[in-house]
C-alpha cells in the first residue's frame, strides 16, 4: 500500500475546508494521493461520469444538496467505490443515516488528522474490496446451485454423520421425496436393508478421502420400488481441506441395467444354443483363421478333441484343393449372415463329409470372429446324386421310349399312308373295271356294237344290274372307310328338296312296282330348299326307301313324308313302310356296320348291313340325326332330322336360276379328257343324245394345245389319267386367262368333290355316270364355244390331223415289247398290231437289250417287274449303249407306288404308265414319244 497511488475525489463547496483537507492529505506519509476537487453536487456527478476514483470524500453540506443525496445518486449510477462523509459537526443521527445509505465512514472536519484520514480511507477501500469478493462468491454459489438443481442426476449432500442436507430436483424426481421430506433424515432411508451396512461402511471409507466412481447400487424410492443407481461419492472439504461431509451424485441406470440384463439373457440363450446345437458350430478368428470355440456336436462329428480344435485353423479340416476357395470366401466375408453350400470337410478319421455353412460375424473375446454353423448334408448329397442318376436313367429311358414311340408313330403314319394308298388304289382298281362292265353292257344293250337278240339283252341286263349292285357295295365300303379315316367330305349346297325326293323315289319305283307296293309322298310346301350335300342326301333317302321296299311284303305301302319346323329349324324326312318291322331288341343294333337282323324274314333279303351305318354317319356329318320306330309285322318308320333355315332360301335362288336349266342346248361342243375309252364312249353317247358334239382327248399330254385349238364350251376332265395329273390340268386351265372361263366338269372314280370345286371345277361326277346326272350338270352350265366327235369315236375336224398322223406313223414303226406276263403280251401285241405297229417281244431285261441291238426298234415298251434283269436295269444298260441310247422307252408298271415314277425317270425312261394301262392312252403316249424322237432326230440331222 505504501507505494500505491490512491486517487481521491473531494467534493467540498468551501475552499478553506478544501485547503485544510488537502494539507492533511499531504501530511500522510508513504502514500501518494492524487486529489481532484470539485465544489458542487453537479460537478461531482460530471467528474464521476468521466473517470472513476478509488475513494470519494463528500462534504455533508453541498449548497442546496446534501452529501447523502449525492451518495444515493452515485450508487444509483452504479458506482461501488467507497464514499466517506466529511462534516462540520458530529451528529450521531446523520452519522447513522450516512452509514445506512452505504457510506464507509463519517469524519468530523474539526477532528480530522492525517492518521484518521488515512485509516478511514484504507478501511473503506479494503471493505469495498471484500464486499466485492463476497458478492462474486455469492454469484458463484448461486450459479453452482443452479447447476446442481438443473442436473439430470440426483445430487445429495450429507453431513459427516450421513444426514441429508442437500437434495436437488433430480433427487426429488428419482427418489420421489420432496426436499423437505428428506433433509435432516439419514441417507439410510434410501438404501435397502440388505446393503445398508455395506453402504455405511463405504461412506466411512470414503471419509478417509477416497473418491468413488460408478458405484452401482440398488436403492429404494419413496414408493418402495427398487431403483438401479450408479453413484459417484466425493468428500466435501472445508476451507482448511478438512472433510466436512459427503456429496453423492446418483445416476438412474435402471434402463441401462435392463438392457444389460436382456443382453446377458440373450447371450446366455445363444451360448445355450451353441452348446446344445445338434449341428456342429464353432467360432474362428477372422484374422488367424484359428478355432476359438467349438461345440460338442462339432467334437462328436469331426472326432477332434476341444483342444485339438483350438490348435487348428479352419483350413486344416479342408481338402487341399478347397483351401484357396476358403481363403477367397473369408476375404469376401460380409458382416451380414452368409449361407453357402457344397463345402467338403475332413473328419479326424480322414473321411470326407459335405456341409452347408451359415456364418455370421461376431465379437468374441474382443476379436473379430465368425460364428459358423456347419450342417452335414452328406446324406442329402448322396440322395441327390442318386436322384440325378435316376433322372438321367429316366431321361435315357424316356428317350428310348420316345424313339420307340416315334418309330411306332412313323409306322402308324406309314400304315395310315398305306391305308390311304390302299383306299385310293381300291377305288381305282375296283371302279375302273366296273366302269367298263357297266358302260360296255349298257353300250351293248343300246346296240352300239350291233343288234342283240332278247336272250343276249336279258343277260347283259343282268350283268349291268350286278355291276351296279357291286358298285354300290364298293361305294359303301369305301365311303365307310373314308368316314372312319376322317377323310370323308361333304360338299353342301342349296338343293331343291322336292326334286331330290322325286328322284330318290324314282330310284325305287321300279322295284316297288314289281312288288305292287303303294307309294305315298307328302311334302310340306314351305320346305323349298335345304343346305346339304345333294348326292349324300339322295343316298340317305334312297337307302331308306330301298330298305322300305326290300322289307315290305307284296301289296304293302311305303311312304316318304317331309316336314319342316321353322321354330326348331329342322326338316324331317320320314320314310315309313308296312313291312316286317324290327324287334325292339334289334333296334339299337341296326346302325352298326355289317349288322343285319337275324330273322327268317329279313334273311330272305340280300344286303350287307352297311347302308344304315353309313347313312347315320352322313346324317351326323350334316349336323342331323336319325331315329327309328318299329313294330314287328306292322312296319317301320325312320325319321331323318336335318338342320334347316327358312330365311336363307330366298338369297340362293340365283344359284339354281331356272335360266340355266332352260338352256341346255346352248352348249354345242365339249372336250372330253379321259383315258378310259368306256367312259369316253359313254359320255359321247349321252352328249350326242343332247345334240352336243364331242372331242375326246385320251391323254394328259397336249391338253392345252387341244383346248386352245378347239375352244370347247365345256370340258369333261378325268382326274386319273392314269396318274392323278387331272388336278394339275384343272389348276392350269383355271390359272390361264385364255382357258379359265371354260367350265370344267370332273369325272372320276375317286370321290373328291370338294377339292375339285375348290380348284374351280364347275361340277364333279363320280363314275359310273348316269344319263340323268349328266343332264343335271349340263343344265347348270352356261354356254361358250367348241367342236366334237361322233358316236363311233371318229375324231371330228380338229382331231383329224392327229388321227392321220397316228396311222401314218404307226405303219412304219417297230415297237419292242419287254413283258413277262403272257396275257399282257397278247393284249398289248394284238392292240399294237391292230393300231398298225409292228411288235417284237422280249421276256426279260437281258432279252430286251439283245432284241434292241438286233432290231433297233423305234420305241421300247418296258415292263419294270420282270424275272432276271428287271426293266430299270435294262433301261440303264440301253441308255449306256451309244447305239441304243436314243430309243424312247415307255415304262409299264403294275405297282403304282409313290416314288416309282421318279425311279423310272432316273433310270432313263421317257414316259411312265401304270397298269392297268389304258390302250388308247398307250397309243397316245407312243405317238408323243415317236414324234419327239423324230423331231430330235431331224434337228440333229
Ligand atoms: P342292308 O344292306 O342289310 O339292308 P342296312 O344297314 O340298310 O343293311 O340295314 C340293316 C338291317 O336293318 C337290315 O338288314 C334289316 O335287318 C334292318 N332293316 C333296315 N331297314 C328296315 C326296314 N325298313 N324294315 C325292317 N328291317 C329293316
Amino acid at each position: 500500500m505504501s507505494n500505491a497511488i490512491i486517487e481521491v475525489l473531494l467534493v467540498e463547496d468551501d475552499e478553506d475546508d478544501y485547503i485544510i483537507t488537502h494539507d492533511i492529505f499531504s501530511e500522510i506519509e508513504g502514500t501518494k494521493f492524487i486529489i481532484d476537487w470539485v465544489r458542487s453536487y453537479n460537478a461531482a456527478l460530471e467528474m464521476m461520469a468521466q473517470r472513476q476514483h478509488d475513494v470519494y470524500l463528500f462534504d455533508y453540506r453541498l449548497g442546496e444538496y446534501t452529501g447523502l443525496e449525492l451518495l444515493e445518486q452515485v450508487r444509483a449510477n452504479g458506482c461501488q467505490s467507497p464514499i466517506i462523509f466529511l462534516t462540520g459537526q458530529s451528529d450521531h443521527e446523520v452519522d447513522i443515516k450516512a452509514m445506512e445509505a452505504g457510506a464507509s465512514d463519517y469524519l468530523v472536519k474539526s477532528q480530522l488528522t492525517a492518521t484518521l484520514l488515512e485509516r478511514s480511507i484504507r478501511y473503506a477501500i479494503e471493505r469495498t474490496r471484500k464486499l466485492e469478493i463476497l458478492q462474486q462468491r455469492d454469484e458463484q454459489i448461486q450459479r453452482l446451485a443452479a447447476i446442481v438443481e438443473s442436473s439430470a442426476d440426483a445430487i445429495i449432500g450429507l453431513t459427516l454423520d450421513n444426514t441429508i442436507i442437500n437434495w436437488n430436483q433430480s433427487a426429488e424426481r428419482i427418489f420421489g421425496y420432496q426436499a423437505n421430506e428428506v433433509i435432516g433424515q439419514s441417507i439410510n432411508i434410501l438404501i435397502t436393508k440388505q446393503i445398508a451396512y455395506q453402504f455405511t461402511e463405504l461412506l466411512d471409507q470414503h471419509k478417509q478421502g477416497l473418491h468413488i466412481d460408478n458405484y452401482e447400487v440398488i436403492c429404494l424410492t419413496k414408493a418402495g420400488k427398487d431403483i438401479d443407481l450408479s453413484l459417484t461419492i466425493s468428500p466435501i472439504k472445508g476451507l482448511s481441506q478438512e472433510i466436512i461431509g459427503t456429496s453423492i451424485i446418483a445416476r438412474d441406470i435402471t434402463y441401462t441395467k435392463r438392457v444389460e440384463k436382456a443382453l446377458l439373457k440373450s447371450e446366455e440363450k445363444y451360448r445355450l444354443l451353441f452348446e446344445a446345437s445338434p449341428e456342429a458350430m464353432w467360432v474362428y478368428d477372422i484374422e488367424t483363421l484359428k478355432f476359438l470355440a467349438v461345440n460338442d456336436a462339432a467334437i462328436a462329428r469331426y472326432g477332434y478333441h476341444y483342444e485339438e480344435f483350438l490348435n487348428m485353423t479352419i483350413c486344416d479340416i479342408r481338402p487341399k484343393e478347397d483351401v484357396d476357395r476358403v481363403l477367397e470366401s473369408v476375404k469376401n466375408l460380409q458382416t451380414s449372415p452368409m449361407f453357402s453350400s457344397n463345402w467338403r470337410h475332413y473328419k479326424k478319421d480322414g473321411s470326407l463329409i459335405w456341409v452347408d455353412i451359415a456364418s455370421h460375424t461376431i465379437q468374441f473375446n474382443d476379436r473379430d470372429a465368425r460364428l459358423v454353423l456347419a450342417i452335414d448334408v452328406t446324406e442329402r448329397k448322396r440322395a441327390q446324386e442318386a436322384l440325378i442318376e435316376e433322372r438321367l436313367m429316366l431321361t435315357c429311358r424316356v428317350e428310348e421310349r420316345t424313339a420307340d414311340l416315334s418309330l411306332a408313330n412313323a409306322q402308324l403314319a406309314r400304315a395310315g399312308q398305306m391305308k390311304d394308298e390302299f383306299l385310293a388304289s381300291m377305288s381305282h382298281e375296283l371302279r375302273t373295271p366296273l366302269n367298263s362292265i357297266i358302260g360296255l353292257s349298257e353300250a351293248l344293250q343300246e346296240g352300239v356294237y350291233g343288234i342283240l337278240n332278247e336272250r343276249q339283252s336279258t343277260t347283259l341286263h343282268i350283268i349291268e344290274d350286278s355291276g351296279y349292285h357291286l358298285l354300290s357295295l364298293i361305294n359303301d365300303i369305301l365311303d365307310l372307310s373314308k368316314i372312319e379315316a376322317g377323310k370323308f367330305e361333304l360338299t353342301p349346297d342349296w338343293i331343291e328338296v322336292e326334286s331330290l325326293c322325286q328322284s330318290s323315289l324314282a330310284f325305287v319305283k321300279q322295284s316297288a312296282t314289281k312288288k305292287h307296293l303303294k307309294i305315298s309322298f307328302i311334302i310340306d310346301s314351305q320346305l323349298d330348299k335345304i343346305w346339304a350335300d345333294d348326292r349324300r342326301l339322295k343316298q340317305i333317302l334312297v337307302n331308306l326307301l330301298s330298305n322300305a321296299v326290300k322289307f315290305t311284303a307284296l301289296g304293302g305301302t311305303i311312304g316318304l313324308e317331309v316336314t319342316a319346323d321353322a321354330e326348331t329349324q329342322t326338316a324331317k324326312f320320314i320314310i315309313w313302310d308296312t313291312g316286317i318291322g324290327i324287334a325292339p331288341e334289334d333296334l339299337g343294333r341296326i346302325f352298326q356296320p355289317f349288322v343285319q337282323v337275324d330273322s327268317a324274314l329279313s334273311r330272305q333279303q340280300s344286303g350287307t348291313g352297311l347302308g344304315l351305318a353309313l347313312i347315320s354317319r352322313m346324317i351326323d356329318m350334316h349336323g342331323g340325326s336319325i331315329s327309328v320306330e318299329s313294330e314287328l309285322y306292322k312296319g317301320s318308320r325312320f325319321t331323318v332330322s336335318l338342320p334347316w333355315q327358312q330365311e336363307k332360301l330366298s338369297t340362293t335362288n340365283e344359284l339354281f336360276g331356272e335360266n340355266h336349266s332352260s338352256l341346255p342346248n346352248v352348249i354345242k361342243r365339249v372336250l372330253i379328257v379321259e383315258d378310259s375309252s368306256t367312259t369316253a364312249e359313254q359320255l359321247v353317247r349321252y352328249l350326242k343324245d343332247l345334240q352336243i358334239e364331242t372331242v375326246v382327248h385320251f391323254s394328259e399330254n397336249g391338253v392345252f394345245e387341244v383346248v386352245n385349238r378347239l375352244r370347247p364350251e365345256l370340258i369333261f376332265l378325268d382326274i386319273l389319267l392314269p396318274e392323278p395329273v387331272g388336278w394339275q390340268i384343272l389348276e392350269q386351265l383355271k390359272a390361264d386367262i385364255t382357258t379359265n372361263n371354260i367350265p370344267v366338269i370332273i369325272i372320276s372314280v375317286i370321290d373328291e368333290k370338294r377339292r375339285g370345286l375348290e380348284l374351280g371345277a364347275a361340277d364333279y361326277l363320280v363314275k359310273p355316270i348316269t344319263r340323268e346326272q349328266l343332264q343335271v350338270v349340263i343344265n347348270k352350265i352356261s354356254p361358250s364355244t367348241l367342236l366334237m366327235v361322233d358316236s363311233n369315236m371318229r375324231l371330228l375336224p380338229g382331231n383329224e390331223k392327229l388321227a392321220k398322223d397316228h396311222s401314218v406313223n404307226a405303219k412304219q414303226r417297230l415297237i419292242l415289247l419287254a413283258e413277262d406276263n403272257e396275257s399282257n403280251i397278247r393284249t398289248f401285241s394284238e392292240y399294237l398290231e391292230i393300231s398298225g405297229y409292228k411288235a417284237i417281244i422280249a421276256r426279260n431285261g437281258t432279252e430286251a437289250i439283245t432284241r434292241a441291238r438286233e432290231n433297233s426298234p423305234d420305241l421300247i415298251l418296258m415292263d419294270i417287274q420282270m424275272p432276271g434283269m428287271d426293266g430299270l436295269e435294262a433301261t440303264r444298260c440301253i441308255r449306256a449303249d451309244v447305239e441304243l441310247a436314243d430309243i424312247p422307252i415307255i415304262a409299264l408298271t403294275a405297282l403304282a407306288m409313290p416314288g416309282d415314277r421318279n425311279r423310272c425317270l432316273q433310270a432313263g425312261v421317257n414316259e411312265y404308265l401304270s397298269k392297268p394301262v389304258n390302250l388308247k392312252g398307250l397309243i397316245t403316249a407312243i405317238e408323243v414319244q415317236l414324234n419327239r424322237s423324230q423331231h430330235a432326230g431331224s434337228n440333229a440331222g
Side-chain angles (χ1 to χ4, degrees), residues 543-544 547-552 577 579-582 590-592 595-599 602 606-613 630 635-636 638:
N543 191 291
L544 292 169
N547 277 351
V549 172
K550 197 157 72 172
F551 296 105
T552 304
D577 62 67
I580 59 173
I582 305 160
I590 54 171
F591 294 101
Q592 292 165 15
V595 167
Q596 288 176 299
V597 175
D598 190 17
S599 74
S602 64
S606 64
T608 56
L610 275 177
L612 289 179
S630 188
S636 309
F638 288 82

Side-chain angles (χ1 to χ4, degrees), residues 876-924:
R876 281 187 210 107
C877 291
I878 290 167
R879 289 286 175 253
D881 188 322
V882 262
E883 294 291 310
L884 311 174
D886 295 333
I887 303 174
I889 302 175
I890 295 176
L892 305 170
T893 172
L895 273 180
M897 297 298 286
D900 276 357
R901 185 186 178 87
N902 275 347
R903 266 203 298 284
C904 290
L905 294 176
Q906 271 165 17
V909 308
N910 302 79
E911 182 56 286
Y912 166 96
L913 299 173
S914 60
K915 294 176 185 174
V917 175
N918 173 283
L919 292 174
K920 281 193 177 138
L922 177 65
I923 299 301
T924 312

Side-chain angles (χ1 to χ4, degrees), residues 621-632:
M621 288 177 78
H622 272 92
S625 64
I626 181 167
S627 63
V628 57
E629 299 155 82
S630 188
E631 206 176 320
L632 268 183

Side-chain angles (χ1 to χ4, degrees), residues 443-464:
L444 282 166
Q445 287 179 80
E446 287 181 9
V448 173
Y449 302 102
I451 309 294
L452 303 177
N453 63 33
E454 206 185 316
R455 249 184 94 192
Q456 286 168 329
S457 236
T458 318
T459 314
L460 274 172
H461 189 67
I462 294 169
I463 293 174
E464 192 187 2

Side-chain angles (χ1 to χ4, degrees), residues 22 65 204 290 422 453 459 485 596 742 745 762 890:
H22 193 271
Y65 294 102
D204 285 347
K290 279 194 141 192
F422 174 73
N453 63 33
T459 314
Q596 288 176 299
I742 306 172
I745 293 171
I890 295 176

